[in-house]
Amino acid sequence: MDQSTSTQLRECWWEKKYYKSGKNNIKRLIGCYIICKVVLIVMHRFKSWTGIAPWNGFPGIVGAIDGTHIAIKAPKNNPQSYVNRKNFHSSQLQCVCLHNRLFSHVFVWYPGSVHDSRVLKNSDLWDMGLVKCNNVFHILGDAAYPLWMWLLTPYRDNGHSSPQQRKYNYYHSTNRLVIERCFALLKSRFRRLHMIDTHSVPKACEIIMTCCILHNVCIMKIDVFDVDLADGGCNDNKANMCLDFF
């Protein structure tokens, strides 16, 4: 991130509607300033997705990608487009995480009705994935995503898989599970993500992004705990919010 981008990020947090009289608004202003400082620190610590050791025998992997639904109240504009396949209003959160459950890329805003593959193709990661993977590494994704130069998906089970394909799928599934654990940890730590009590999509996205940032801070400070995957509820006029931490 260059200096101009850092300056814009600071101005983004300070120039919103937080500078008003009243104790609550002052608290929000201070909170936003702290989060801004954390973002800048985290994003400057890492430069690329390299130097990752093999994941349980799976070489050349720098991350796992998946999406999860964050429940929100029905937005005032086009509420029907936010109804997902489980019949509740949500915003899509797409993340790439490392083997240690750190988020390396976060993309949020798309309505819950949008398929995971479409969210990916409309995110900046779709065009920058090969560069981020340095043209030689890969990210693991489930069958909802397309097979791509930098994105490895499992073989489809048609009943005639070879031993090599079954072995590949086993290691793929074992290693990709880290993103499920990551979402479970995120939602267990920040219970607000089980239902964001707002009709404003921009506000909901700010909350989601802030939780992802604080999740990384907690991981870096070794503030972790074990969670059940089921507890996280995983998987089940446009301006996107995106953070590329590494």
Side-chain angles (χ1 to χ4, degrees):
M1 179 190 294
D2 56 28
Q3 184 62 37
S4 62
T5 305
S6 301
T7 302
Q8 290 174 4
L9 182 58
R10 281 190 285 265
E11 291 174 351
C12 172
W13 287 106
W14 281 93
E15 289 182 358
K16 288 210 170 188
K17 301 176 182 178
Y18 302 126
Y19 195 73
K20 298 177 181 178
S21 60
K23 184 182 296 185
N24 292 334
N25 287 305
I26 292 175
K27 289 181 178 179
R28 292 179 68 188
L29 178 64
I30 296 173
C32 288
Y33 174 75
I34 294 173
I35 295 302
C36 174
K37 298 293 288 185
V38 170
V39 174
L40 297 178
I41 293 171
V42 171
M43 294 179 72
H44 276 301
R45 282 190 60 179
F46 301 90
K47 299 300 181 183
S48 63
W49 296 355
T50 60
I52 304 301
W55 290 23
N56 297 324
F58 209 127
I61 302 302
V62 293
I65 186 173
D66 204 356
T68 188
H69 291 277
I70 307 297
I72 61 175
K73 285 189 173 182
K76 296 179 180 179
N77 298 324
N78 303 315
Q80 67 283 355
S81 66
Y82 286 84
V83 178
N84 60 37
R85 66 182 185 280
K86 294 185 179 180
N87 204 32
F88 65 86
H89 293 87
S90 67
S91 181
Q92 280 268 33
L93 169 62
Q94 174 188 279
C95 295
V96 177
C97 78
L98 306 179
H99 65 287
N100 57 1
R101 303 184 191 181
L102 274 173
F103 289 128
S104 56
H105 187 273
V106 175
F107 181 78
V108 62
W109 189 285
Y110 268 79
S113 63
V114 180
H115 192 270
D116 286 353
S117 62
R118 183 181 172 190
V119 175
L120 172 61
K121 291 179 179 179
N122 284 277
S123 71
D124 64 319
L125 184 60
W126 183 249
D127 293 324
M128 296 297 296
L130 190 61
V131 174
K132 298 299 296 181
C133 291
N134 292 302
N135 298 306
V136 293
F137 300 111
H138 300 89
I139 294 173
L140 299 178
D142 62 22
Y145 294 105
L147 179 65
W148 205 237
M149 292 177 286
W150 50 269
L151 179 59
L152 297 180
T153 58
Y155 286 101
R156 297 193 180 277
D157 186 5
N158 56 11
H160 303 285
S161 300
S162 67
Q164 291 82 3
Q165 290 174 334
R166 289 195 294 271
K167 183 177 181 180
Y168 168 88
N169 280 357
Y170 170 78
Y171 281 107
H172 184 286
S173 176
T174 301
N175 286 285
R176 198 194 62 80
L177 197 61
V178 65
I179 186 65
E180 304 286 357
R181 296 194 181 100
C182 200
F183 283 144
L185 181 60
L186 175 71
K187 292 183 179 181
S188 295
R189 190 188 300 278
F190 303 105
R191 293 288 179 172
R192 180 73 179 272
L193 295 181
H194 286 279
M195 166 52 78
I196 299 181
D197 189 20
T198 179
H199 296 281
S200 170
V201 175
K203 183 178 179 180
C205 291
E206 288 181 354
I207 293 172
I208 295 169
M209 191 69 74
T210 300
C211 289
C212 291
I213 294 167
L214 293 177
H215 166 91
N216 272 12
V217 174
C218 291
I219 296 295
M220 290 177 177
K221 294 298 182 180
I222 323 297
D223 179 12
V224 297
F225 55 92
D226 292 328
V227 295
D228 187 347
L229 283 179
D231 189 49
C234 302
N235 271 340
D236 307 325
N237 97 67
K238 187 179 76 175
N240 302 308
M241 293 190 70
C242 171
L243 276 184
D244 195 1
F245 292 101
F246 300 89

